[in-house]
Amino acid sequence: MASEDVFILGIKMTKFGKHKELDTVDLATEATLAALADGGVTMKDMNIISAGNLMGGALPIAQVIQKACGQTGIPAYNVSNACATGATALRVVGMSIKAGESDFGLAVGVEKLAGAGLLAGGSRKSDGKSWERSGRYGAVAGVDGRIGTDIMPGVFAQIGMEYGHKYGGANFELFAEISRKNHFHSTLNPLAAYTKEMSLEQIMGDIMIAYPNTRPMCSANCDGAAAAVLVSGSKLKTLSQQQQRRAVKVSASILTSDPYEEACQVLPNVNTLTRAAAKQAYEQAGVGPEDLDLVELHDCFATAELVHYDNLMLCEEGNAVDFFKSGATWRTGSMPVNVSGGLQSKGHPIAATGIANVWEVCHHLRGEAGPRQIEGAKVGLAHVIGLASACGVHILESNTA
Amino acid sequence: MSDSIPFVNYLVLGDDPHLVAQECKACGARFFDRRNACAGCSGTEFQSVDVPTQGELRTFTIVAFAAPGIEVPFVSGIVDCGGTSVRANIVNVEPSPEHVKLGMPVKLTTFPIGKDEEGVEAINFGFEPAA
C-alpha cells in the first residue's frame, strides 16, 4: 500500500519583530488559530500536534498551546532541533499522516528572541581561583575566545571563508552584496522584522561582529511564531474545492543529521547534511533544482547563504560565487532566493523559522504573495539548518495544476 | 616544574610543545576530546598520536564582538595540520584581513594565560604565521 500524500491545508506566520506586549503563548496561539482558519478547520479536527520553542525553558509548548486554544486529548510531540525545530515539527506531523495514524495535524514553532544578543558564546564563565580541569577537553577555564570562537556569527563566518578558500572569489564585498539582496527583498514583505533597503556601504560600514559578517549580515533576533495544518491526500479529496485548490503538496520532507567526516567536530560541517537532504528531497519529489521557482534557504548569516547555493545544487559545485554574481538569486533572477528577506531581514525567531519559510513558499504557490509574488510559481524549496546539526528540506508544489 | 600546566588535556608542554589526538585504532579518525567511541566507525579503541605543529590556515574569522571578558578583536581559525584539523586562535599577527590570509602557513606556539591563587601558570596554545 502506498503511503498517504501530505498536503499543507492552512499555514500562517505572525508578524516578525518586537512584540513587547505579546508572550510566547500569545504568539503561538495567534499563529495556530490563523493557520486553522486558513485551512477551514478547527482544533477538534486535529489528530496530532507537534511544536517547538527553544528559549522558553522546559515548557512543553505543544500542551501550552493546547491549553491556550483547545485541549482535545490528542498526542502532543514537543520537538527541539536548534534552528531546524520548526521543520522537525512539520515533519513529525507529516510522518504521522504518512503512517496512516492521522488525517489532520498541527505543527507550530514560536520564539521570543527580540534583543537576545549572542545565542552561543554570549557569556564565558570567569576563571576560578585555582585551575581545575573540567569538560571533555579537560580545559582549566573557559575556552571561548582562547581556543577559537563559539559565537555563531564567527562559526558561520569561518564556514563561508572556508568556501572562499576552496573555490576562490568570495570576499567581504560579495558577502555584503548577498545581504543587500535580502534586505532589498524584505521591503516587499510586511511581515518582515526589518523592511529597509540598505546600501552596500551601509552594510559594510555597520558594526563588525565577526569578519566578514557585520550586524546586518547576521540573522535578526526577533519574536514570532508560525503554524501549519497538514492533511492527508485522501482526506483532502473530501474537502471543499476551495480547500483543495489552496492546498499545497508536500512533495518531499527530509531531515538529516551530519555524517562524520574529518574536521566536523572541530568546525561544524553544514555542507554534508544539506547536500544529502537536498539530494534525497529532489529524489523523493521527482524534481530537480532546475524545476524550482523559488527557494527559501537558511541565511542565518550572509556567509551561510553562499555555501547553500552549492549545497542545494542550485549551481554547479564550486560555482556559487559566479552564480550569485549572475544575479540569479535576486527576485528578478532565474532562481529567486529568500524573496521574504531571509533570516537577515525577515528575522529569525529560531523555532518558528522552519515553518515560516514554508509559509513564504506556500504564499507564492497559492498566488497570494501580493507585490512580492513570484509570477507563476509552481514548485518551491524551503531549507533550514540547526547546529549541531540538523537539516530540514521541504519541497512544495501547488495543487492547482 | 609543576608551576605550569597545559590549558587543555590535549596540549603537551616541555621542550617541544605539541598537540595530542586520540586516534581510532580501527578507522584512524582523530579527536581531541575524551572519547567513549569513534564517531566515524563506533570503534572503542584509541591511541594517542602527536599532531604536526606546522599547518595551513584553512579558514578564519576576526571576532570583534564577544562575551564580556573576552578580549577583541581576535582571530579564530581552523588549521590543517597535515590532515588533522585544529581549532585555535591565530596569534602574533595583526587581527585584520590585510594580515591574516587564507592558506597561509602557520606554526604552533604556546603562551601563558595567567596564574591562579597557588601561583600555577596555565599555558595555552595558538598558531602564529610561520615566516
Side-chain angles (χ1 to χ4, degrees):
Chain A
M1 193 187 92
S3 65
E4 278 283 359
D5 285 336
V6 176
F7 290 81
I8 289 173
L9 183 65
I11 187 161
K12 189 67 189 165
M13 65 175 270
T14 67
K15 161 91 177 149
F16 281 6
K18 288 190 181 77
H19 290 288
K20 276 188 188 150
E21 311 300 322
L22 302 179
D23 64 13
T24 299
V25 181
D26 294 320
L27 290 165
T29 308
E30 181 185 325
T32 297
L33 294 178
L36 289 165
D38 185 48
V41 288
T42 69
M43 271 302 238
K44 289 198 177 76
D45 297 309
M46 298 301 108
N47 307 119
I48 177 176
I49 177 172
S50 181
N53 169 241
L54 293 164
M55 307 304 278
L59 277 181
I61 189 67
Q63 286 87 339
V64 168
I65 292 164
Q66 290 176 295
K67 286 181 171 62
C69 60
Q71 289 175 257
T72 55
I74 57 175
Y77 293 83
N78 292 287
V79 296
S80 171
N81 234 343
C83 302
T85 293
T88 304
L90 208 58
R91 183 160 159 68
V92 165
V93 173
M95 285 194 297
S96 174
I97 291 172
K98 272 198 176 299
E101 284 203 9
S102 307
D103 289 326
F104 293 103
L106 175 68
V108 190
V110 60
E111 214 69 68
K112 284 283 288 181
L113 214 56
L118 295 169
L119 300 185
S123 66
R124 183 177 78 187
K125 66 172 186 173
S126 32
D127 298 344
K129 287 180 179 169
S130 62
W131 302 123
E132 207 170 313
R133 296 204 184 277
S134 69
R136 308 288 292 192
Y137 296 93
V140 298
V143 298
D144 185 22
R146 285 178 172 139
I147 299 179
T149 184
D150 285 346
I151 66 168
M152 288 299 123
V155 168
F156 278 93
Q158 291 174 103
I159 286 165
M161 295 286 279
E162 182 181 42
Y163 188 89
H165 181 41
K166 199 168 168 189
Y167 298 113
N171 55 30
F172 184 19
E173 188 173 326
L174 180 104
F175 289 122
E177 184 69 8
I178 290 175
S179 191
R180 186 171 82 82
K181 168 182 73 73
N182 291 353
H183 284 283
F184 173 75
H185 285 167
S186 74
T187 61
L188 295 171
N189 184 359
L191 296 184
Y194 298 98
T195 53
K196 268 203 299 213
E197 191 174 350
M198 293 187 80
S199 69
L200 201 60
E201 293 69 31
Q202 282 174 312
I203 292 167
M204 294 177 76
D206 208 301
I207 297 170
M208 181 59 73
I209 305 295
Y211 179 89
N213 286 321
T214 64
R215 187 173 54 182
M217 295 162 73
C218 300
S219 50
N221 287 335
C222 64
D223 306 332
V229 173
L230 275 61
V231 64
S232 68
S234 51
K235 192 73 186 178
L236 179 63
K237 289 197 183 103
T238 69
L239 303 181
S240 74
Q241 284 301 311
Q242 155 109 343
Q243 283 167 309
Q244 292 187 41
R245 187 182 56 74
R246 289 183 72 249
V248 170
K249 187 177 181 194
V250 182
S251 302
S253 174
I254 302 293
L255 192 70
T256 56
S257 59
D258 48 333
Y260 177 78
E261 68 167 39
E262 202 283 319
C264 78
Q265 294 195 15
V266 175
L267 179 70
N269 185 334
V270 301
N271 306 318
T272 49
L273 75 168
T274 299
R275 188 168 282 273
K279 191 165 175 289
Q280 290 174 43
Y282 292 133
E283 277 169 18
Q284 193 172 92
V287 304
E290 65 283 357
D291 299 314
L292 302 175
D293 297 306
L294 77 157
V295 171
E296 288 285 304
L297 65 74
H298 204 71
D299 64 319
C300 49
F301 301 91
T303 46
E305 177 157 331
L306 184 78
V307 305
H308 293 316
Y309 293 156
D310 200 321
N311 294 329
L312 296 172
M313 295 175 256
L314 307 183
C315 62
E316 295 290 316
E317 198 164 347
N319 205 34
V321 170
D322 288 343
F323 176 65
F324 174 69
K325 283 184 172 169
S326 77
T329 60
W330 288 74
R331 53 170 292 112
T332 48
S334 59
M335 180 72 78
V337 172
N338 291 334
V339 295
S340 66
L343 278 53
Q344 290 166 68
S345 203
K346 178 181 73 175
H348 185 25
I350 40 182
T353 291
I355 297 174
N357 62 359
V358 170
W359 177 82
E360 178 69 22
V361 173
C362 289
H363 218 42
H364 292 270
L365 300 184
R366 288 165 156 184
E368 296 173 357
R372 74 175 184 288
Q373 176 70 38
I374 298 299
E375 284 308 323
K378 296 284 180 214
V379 187
L381 182 149
H383 158 258
V384 284
I385 188 160
L387 296 187
S389 292
C391 176
V393 169
H394 285 92
I395 293 178
L396 305 147
E397 289 185 67
S398 75
N399 200 29
T400 52
Chain B
M1 271 307 289
S2 63
D3 286 341
S4 59
I5 58 169
F7 182 65
V8 285
N9 273 339
Y10 60 94
L11 170 63
V12 175
L13 301 177
D15 292 340
D16 179 23
H18 61 279
L19 303 179
V20 172
Q22 298 307 306
E23 185 180 84
C24 173
K25 283 188 177 175
C27 77
R30 290 181 170 190
F31 305 92
F32 290 106
D33 56 344
R34 184 160 64 82
R35 298 304 301 184
N36 302 87
C38 176
C41 73
S42 307
T44 54
E45 287 188 40
F46 293 87
Q47 59 193 2
S48 293
V49 291
D50 292 355
V51 176
T53 55
Q54 301 260 349
E56 179 193 292
L57 184 62
R58 210 179 72 212
T59 186
F60 73 93
T61 181
I62 303 165
V63 177
F65 185 83
I70 296 177
E71 252 180 71
V72 289
F74 71 91
V75 182
S76 164
I78 304 296
V79 178
D80 180 351
C81 294
T84 302
S85 297
V86 178
R87 169 178 148 159
N89 284 10
I90 308 305
V91 298
N92 301 332
V93 61
E94 195 179 310
S96 78
E98 288 72 39
H99 293 88
V100 185
K101 296 290 179 195
L102 291 167
M104 75 179 188
V106 291
K107 64 177 197 290
L108 187 101
T109 182
T110 58
F111 44 88
I113 61 159
K115 289 182 178 176
D116 67 7
E117 280 190 345
E118 283 121 55
V120 178
E121 192 152 59
I123 309 291
N124 194 13
F125 72 93
F127 285 83
E128 63 183 3

